[in-house]
Amino acid sequence: MLYSEKVMDHFRNPRNVGEIENADGVGEVGNAKCGDIMKMYLKIEDGVIVDVKFETFGCGSAIATSSMATELIKGKKVEEALALTNKAVVEALDGLPAHKIHCSVLAEEAVRAAIKDYYDKSGIAYEPEQFCNGDCSCCHEHDHQE
Amino acid sequence: MIYADNAATTKTCSAAQQAMLDGMERFWGNPSSLHSPGQQANQALQTAREAVARAIGAQTGEIYFTSGGSEADNQAITSAARIGARRGKKHLITTAIEHHAVLHTMDQLAKEGFEVTLIPVDESGIVKASDVAAAIREDTALVSVMYANNEIGTIQPVAEIGALCRERGVPFHTDAVQAVGHLPIDVKEQNIDMLSLSGHKFHGPRGVGALYVRRGTPLLTLIHGGAQERGFRAGTENLPAILGMAAALDDAVAHMAENDAYVASLRDALIEKLSHIPHAALNGDRTRRLPGNVSFCFEGIEGESLLLLLDGKGVAASSGSACTSGSLDPSHVLLAIGRPHEVAHGSLRLTLDRDNTMDEVDAIAKATAEVVGYLRDMSPVWKALQRGERQYVIQ
């Protein structure tokens, strides 16, 4: 089997699918040309992510990593969500095939992009270099690292 | 499980299974041995060779057994290139939609100093014979055009290309892996100099195939060693597989007309049903296609997730999506017929066969519509298309 049981579970029964109206932060990463786009919606109250939803165009692992990322940040403080790594997503899914690692990077970037949007909307200051610069090769580069 | 991936492989038929058992129980001798068990095996080998020759209108001495379609393609192309090079001919012609067994062999030859011309296809995926004619030069060593495409099913004008190659004195090879056993082939009438075929695409076993080489067309050896296959392919013959392939081919040819009519009726019904899904388009020519091939692109979704969910609903299919291949680019065939990347990622290939039924076609269409709808509901691309923020490619 290409995927672990955890990946298949999150792919077949994705958690937190959909959109949040009037979300406090929305982030979209990826490129349809590359075959995956993730969009993440955050509802934030008192610095805590009280709700999160996602929409994903992509393969099985793109959907599963999106789903797992939402589970990992739901109920967490924004700063904690910002510390989410693609590695944590991969571990929580009991691993991904090497050529699918970029999906987990995309999930991490989607969370970060949504948080950046929240910071922008709420006027919270941040270091710009800690967020995605829109260069797809950054994510796909990770394909070759594991 | 509904099996709709017959272009990938077919289930070994009972005639082939029985022939393979015979190959192990009765004809286990080495066909090169001079004693009786060896000669019995040799006799069985020659009978199988006759069956394969008969199926494509060739003579028995023109068939060389190989390990499959890929080896046959490699040998035909590499051989023609090296023979051409001896006379200063280092130009090769093929098409943009060939199987990788052809394209990657051509790539390798290009690294070795050959010049390769890739003929483009129109949006229906058909190669124009006039384009091939225009590409032929004084130093062209080979033209290789596939008989029928494995992804989108289009059937190429092989007889027309064969005739013009013969007229211009250029050897013509065709990768007929998807066609043999499914379409009537006559290598003499169609002026084919070399043809590759594979056992497991017509209900024979895998790991076995054949290369037809017209008498008088020079051939070089790819695998060196013993004198098997008249010195052109070393290695003790895989007799059980060869016998299985020959039995399957006999069976396929004997029932070709009725199988084709039946399978084409399933194909047409499935194409009609899938066409009702909004923003979906058939890949390849509507009529000049393999009887069992149905290939679609669905806008706003990705093919691998489509396949996995169809599998969950009991339908085995295939896709030209990048994610199924492990590369970042979707199928070169879909790109060659002009599908943009984002649409090519959402492709689905369903390949039907004589074992499928109309009830299965109904079930496939229903499952596909459900899965496409479900994935579109969670796709930000589909949402953007619906809101008018992106333009539909497929109307």
Side-chain angles (χ1 to χ4, degrees):
Chain A
M1 190 63 202
L2 176 64
Y3 293 128
S4 70
E5 274 181 39
K6 265 256 179 70
V7 173
M8 286 307 287
D9 175 39
H10 274 263
F11 165 61
R12 288 212 177 101
N13 311 293
R15 281 62 149 178
N16 308 308
V17 177
E19 61 184 294
I20 297 173
E21 294 214 15
N22 305 315
D24 298 304
V26 181
E28 183 176 305
V29 295
N31 183 330
K33 200 180 170 218
C34 302
D36 31 36
I37 290 189
M38 288 180 197
K39 195 167 182 179
M40 202 73 77
Y41 301 84
L42 302 176
K43 191 83 198 157
I44 295 167
E45 284 172 17
D46 301 328
V48 173
I49 298 171
V50 293
D51 197 11
V52 50
K53 298 256 192 244
F54 80 90
E55 293 172 327
T56 289
F57 159 87
C59 59
S61 59
I63 291 170
T65 54
S66 313
S67 167
M68 181 53 86
T70 61
E71 288 276 272
L72 291 173
I73 64 166
K74 202 171 182 175
K76 297 276 167 62
K77 286 183 187 158
V78 172
E79 293 71 35
E80 289 173 317
L82 205 48
L84 176 78
T85 63
N86 79 297
K87 202 156 168 274
V89 175
V90 173
E91 278 168 11
L93 287 169
D94 294 339
L96 279 178
H99 67 285
K100 300 288 188 179
I101 295 295
H102 76 269
C103 293
S104 66
V105 180
L106 215 53
E108 176 194 320
E109 292 297 344
V111 170
R112 300 170 71 80
I115 292 171
K116 177 175 179 291
D117 182 56
Y118 161 69
Y119 284 165
D120 286 339
K121 279 178 178 161
S122 339
I124 299 171
Y126 58 86
E127 299 288 328
E129 53 268 25
Q130 66 188 126
F131 294 104
C132 171
N133 62 4
D135 177 5
C136 290
S137 64
C138 300
C139 291
H140 286 304
E141 195 65 25
H142 292 254
D143 286 357
H144 311 290
Q145 289 181 357
E146 292 208 19
Chain B
M1 192 78 196
I2 299 173
Y3 187 71
D5 199 14
N6 287 283
T9 197
T10 55
K11 186 185 173 206
T12 315
C13 65
S14 58
Q17 289 176 19
Q18 188 53 53
M20 293 179 80
L21 282 175
D22 280 352
M24 290 182 273
E25 287 184 4
R26 294 171 57 202
F27 305 114
W28 46 266
N30 187 327
S32 299
S33 301
L34 291 179
H35 47 59
S36 303
Q39 287 311 297
Q40 282 160 14
N42 189 45
Q43 186 55 47
L45 178 66
Q46 297 321 321
T47 306
R49 201 183 303 281
E50 283 163 24
V52 172
R54 197 164 53 233
I56 58 170
Q59 292 169 32
T60 309
E62 295 175 319
I63 302 298
Y64 300 86
F65 290 117
T66 67
S67 65
S70 291
E71 187 192 324
D73 284 339
N74 272 262
Q75 185 167 9
I77 294 165
T78 306
S79 172
R82 288 184 184 151
I83 287 165
R86 289 174 185 171
R87 289 173 293 148
K89 298 186 173 190
K90 297 194 76 175
H91 176 234
L92 307 166
I93 297 173
T94 190
T95 81
I97 60 165
E98 296 295 313
H99 190 274
H100 284 142
V102 169
L103 285 181
H104 290 172
T105 303
M106 293 282 181
D107 287 347
Q108 181 56 37
L109 288 164
K111 283 181 197 154
E112 293 171 17
F114 287 85
E115 191 185 333
V116 179
T117 297
L118 283 187
I119 308 282
V121 290
D122 62 19
E123 60 184 23
S124 68
I126 293 187
V127 178
K128 284 194 196 70
S130 57
D131 287 348
V132 176
I136 293 177
R137 312 190 310 211
E138 279 298 307
D139 64 340
T140 302
L142 177 73
V143 169
S144 180
V145 177
M146 72 197 321
Y147 204 107
N149 185 267
N150 49 309
E151 291 186 42
I152 59 173
T154 45
I155 300 168
Q156 305 302 340
V158 167
E160 220 182 316
I161 295 168
L164 75 90
C165 287
R166 184 62 53 85
E167 194 189 311
R168 304 280 290 270
V170 180
F172 173 50
H173 165 254
T174 185
D175 172 353
V177 163
Q178 293 290 336
V180 171
H182 301 282
L183 298 175
I185 294 175
D186 187 315
V187 290
K188 297 276 177 295
E189 250 177 43
Q190 295 170 301
N191 290 303
I192 296 166
D193 296 314
M194 293 189 281
L195 176 147
S196 306
L197 64 92
S198 169
H200 71 118
K201 306 297 189 182
F202 46 77
H203 299 274
R206 66 203 61 186
V208 65
L211 175 63
Y212 150 81
V213 182
R214 187 175 65 88
R215 184 157 305 190
T217 299
L219 183 68
L220 297 181
T221 304
L222 198 66
I223 296 179
H224 302 274
Q228 291 89 356
E229 299 300 300
R230 300 180 299 291
F232 288 102
R233 204 285 185 179
T236 302
E237 301 85 348
N238 184 0
L239 196 55
I242 290 169
L243 299 184
M245 172 169 74
L249 191 50
D250 261 342
D251 188 42
V253 170
H255 302 100
M256 190 184 290
E258 66 203 73
N259 285 342
D260 280 5
Y262 172 68
V263 176
S265 73
L266 299 180
R267 172 198 70 189
D268 293 343
L270 186 53
I271 288 174
E272 202 275 324
K273 285 171 194 294
L274 293 179
S275 301
H276 291 301
I277 296 174
H279 304 286
L282 180 72
N283 297 313
D285 193 82
R286 178 62 191 82
T287 53
R288 286 167 67 184
R289 68 190 301 133
L290 287 165
N293 180 287
V294 177
S295 170
F296 267 81
C297 279
F298 301 102
E299 194 144 12
I301 61 167
E302 193 281 327
E304 188 210 76
S305 43
L306 176 58
L307 283 195
L308 292 171
L309 289 174
L310 278 177
D311 185 61
K313 285 179 176 286
V315 177
S318 165
S319 171
S321 142
C323 290
T324 55
S325 70
S327 84
L328 290 182
D329 282 322
S331 143
H332 65 285
V333 177
L334 297 173
L335 296 178
I337 62 169
R339 298 282 186 225
H341 278 67
E342 58 269 35
V343 170
H345 284 299
S347 70
L348 174 69
R349 181 187 73 177
L350 298 154
T351 41
L352 305 169
D353 203 76
R354 64 197 190 201
D355 296 333
N356 292 111
T357 65
M358 201 56 92
D359 284 347
E360 289 182 337
V361 164
D362 292 341
I364 293 169
K366 185 168 170 285
T368 305
E370 284 169 9
V371 171
V372 169
Y374 168 79
L375 287 172
R376 280 177 171 173
D377 275 348
M378 72 159 83
S379 164
V381 174
W382 180 249
K383 298 275 171 72
L385 286 164
Q386 287 202 305
R387 283 194 298 263
E389 295 161 15
R390 293 177 73 96
Q391 296 304 308
Y392 288 104
V393 175
I394 302 169
Q395 297 308 316

